[in-house]
Amino acid sequence: MTMMTITLNQQQQDVAVGINLREIIMLYELPEQGCVFAINNRVVPKSEWQSTQLSQGDAISLFQAIAGG
Amino acid sequence: MLSDQTFSRYSRQIALSEIGEQGQKRLLNAHVLIIGCGGLGSAAALYLAGAGVGRMVLVDDDTIESNNLHRQVVYRSKDVGRSKTKAMADQLTALNGDVQLRGLNHRLDDTQLSMEVMLADIVLDCSDNIETRHLINQVCYKQKTPLISAAAIGWQGQFAVFDYSDTNGCYRCLYPFDQLNHDTNCQSMGVVGAVVGILGNYQALAALQMLALDEFIVATSQLHLFDGKTMSWQTVAISRDSFCSVCGNLDNRLQVMDEEMQ
């Protein structure tokens, strides 16, 4: 399997070429409830997780929604 | 023409070339709806009253508790037990008697909120729960009224401006869920007063841009994430979700509704 390097919350990770965001979330058991994922500082809507393929060097960041005021 | 007294009062912001007398007049005629009179609302409302915003409607159903005072700096110790909207209106009037204030001391339903949004030039979401945030976004989207949203918890803050132009994402595009991961509210997590103040000041600043200059200079549909420990900001672009139940394509929205009903 050909691998590539991405970063996940600033940690380098080697993943399979062609992997999509949904697979990444499952692979690393990332929390989904109340969470938002961005690739290269652009939020990826949930409806596009499956169709969003990662590329070499992509930076994924995840953050929690907050609502306090 | 502004009176000499008015000109003098606001002279230090009229001196800004982008604002000038024209911008000050716009501010004096502006109408802002502030939903939530906690830490965000405290900071935002004080600066907007100072700047001379003509009319403000304050919405909150709460009364002041002593554990609010470390961050809700518009209130005084003697205000504990009073209605937030009344106490805030008193303080804002003391700061600037020219501002017309109206307090609504209860939660607004869909219809009341729509009416209030209709009257406003701009809406500040200073609320403390995601249900209210989604409702405000939905109403503002329908009326295409600019929404300035912020939230804070612990050492973190988030800020975004939504102008609902065609290609920009809305609040629900960003957060397409009705519940948060865990109890992310001020009661269970704690919150740093200065952090929530920074976010409220961001809201006031964005509102001043729109009201005085008639446009946002700050980029819209960008989520600004503040880390109060490193004191640094990260910005991510909020993409439009074509399946968003608020602003997505109609066919997609119907499909989402079908799936939810099944």
Side-chain angles (χ1 to χ4, degrees), chain B:
Chain B
M1 273 285 285
L2 298 174
S3 69
D4 287 352
Q5 204 184 350
T6 305
F7 189 93
S8 169
R9 177 171 185 125
Y10 302 109
S11 58
R12 297 300 188 271
Q13 73 186 17
I14 291 172
L16 292 159
S17 61
E18 297 85 354
I19 297 179
E21 250 190 277
Q22 208 53 41
Q24 188 60 50
K25 277 188 213 153
R26 283 200 206 99
L27 284 171
L28 294 168
N29 288 320
H31 181 136
V32 178
L33 175 61
I34 297 182
I35 301 168
C37 298
L40 296 168
S42 285
L46 279 168
Y47 275 101
L48 292 178
V53 164
R55 266 165 299 169
M56 279 195 260
V57 175
L58 313 170
V59 185
D60 202 304
D61 64 347
D62 231 350
T63 52
I64 300 154
E65 295 178 44
S66 66
N67 63 21
N68 297 152
L69 296 171
H70 84 288
R71 67 188 187 282
Q72 301 180 12
V73 293
V74 73
Y75 306 119
R76 310 295 102 181
S77 298
K78 66 174 170 52
D79 291 329
V80 169
R82 292 186 70 202
S83 133
K84 286 190 176 178
T85 54
K86 288 202 176 82
M88 185 181 278
D90 287 350
Q91 291 296 328
L92 299 179
T93 300
L95 171 59
N96 189 346
D98 295 336
V99 183
Q100 291 177 42
L101 294 157
R102 186 155 53 87
L104 299 170
N105 191 19
H106 55 89
R107 292 209 172 194
L108 305 187
D109 64 21
D110 205 341
T111 315
Q112 286 173 307
L113 182 61
S114 296
M115 290 276 292
E116 292 300 335
V117 170
M118 210 175 289
L119 295 169
D121 298 310
I122 205 162
V123 177
L124 268 59
D125 186 346
C126 303
S127 70
D128 64 357
N129 65 87
I130 195 156
E131 301 93 300
T132 303
R133 289 170 181 277
H134 279 311
L135 180 61
I136 295 169
N137 174 63
Q138 196 175 352
V139 172
C140 287
Y141 170 76
K142 271 192 204 148
Q143 302 191 21
K144 300 284 187 280
T145 302
L147 169 63
I148 302 174
S149 177
I153 196 79
W155 295 83
Q156 300 171 56
Q158 300 183 353
F159 165 84
V161 177
F162 300 97
D163 64 357
Y164 304 112
S165 60
D166 286 347
T167 53
N168 280 344
C170 77
Y171 184 81
R172 192 171 267 283
C173 292
L174 174 65
Y175 295 136
F177 36 73
D178 294 300
Q179 280 184 341
L180 301 180
N181 193 14
H182 42 80
D183 277 348
T184 40
N185 63 48
C186 294
Q187 277 152 32
S188 54
M189 292 268 296
V191 59
V192 179
V195 169
V196 71
I198 285 168
L199 275 296
N201 283 341
Y202 257 57
Q203 289 179 287
L205 181 54
L208 283 176
Q209 288 185 359
M210 184 63 198
L211 297 174
L213 319 180
D214 210 21
E215 63 182 356
F216 289 112
I217 301 174
V218 63
T220 57
S221 285
Q222 303 274 320
L223 179 69
H224 299 254
L225 300 148
F226 180 65
D227 178 341
K229 289 182 179 165
T230 57
M231 306 221 288
S232 57
W233 291 90
Q234 185 196 349
T235 306
V236 294
I238 302 168
S239 315
R240 176 118 187 238
D241 182 357
S242 58
F243 284 86
C244 175
S245 63
V246 172
C247 74
N249 303 335
L250 187 59
D251 287 351
N252 291 346
R253 290 215 301 266
L254 293 173
Q255 193 184 319
V256 171
M257 279 164 66
D258 273 357
E259 281 165 13
E260 280 171 1
M261 281 170 74
Q262 278 163 20

Side-chain angles (χ1 to χ4, degrees), chain A residues 32-51:
Chain A
E32 282 188 39
Q33 180 65 46
C35 257
V36 171
F37 296 86
I39 299 178
N40 304 331
N41 292 325
R42 172 164 283 279
V43 173
V44 182
K46 195 168 186 177
S47 61
E48 295 172 21
W49 287 358
Q50 184 88 41
S51 60

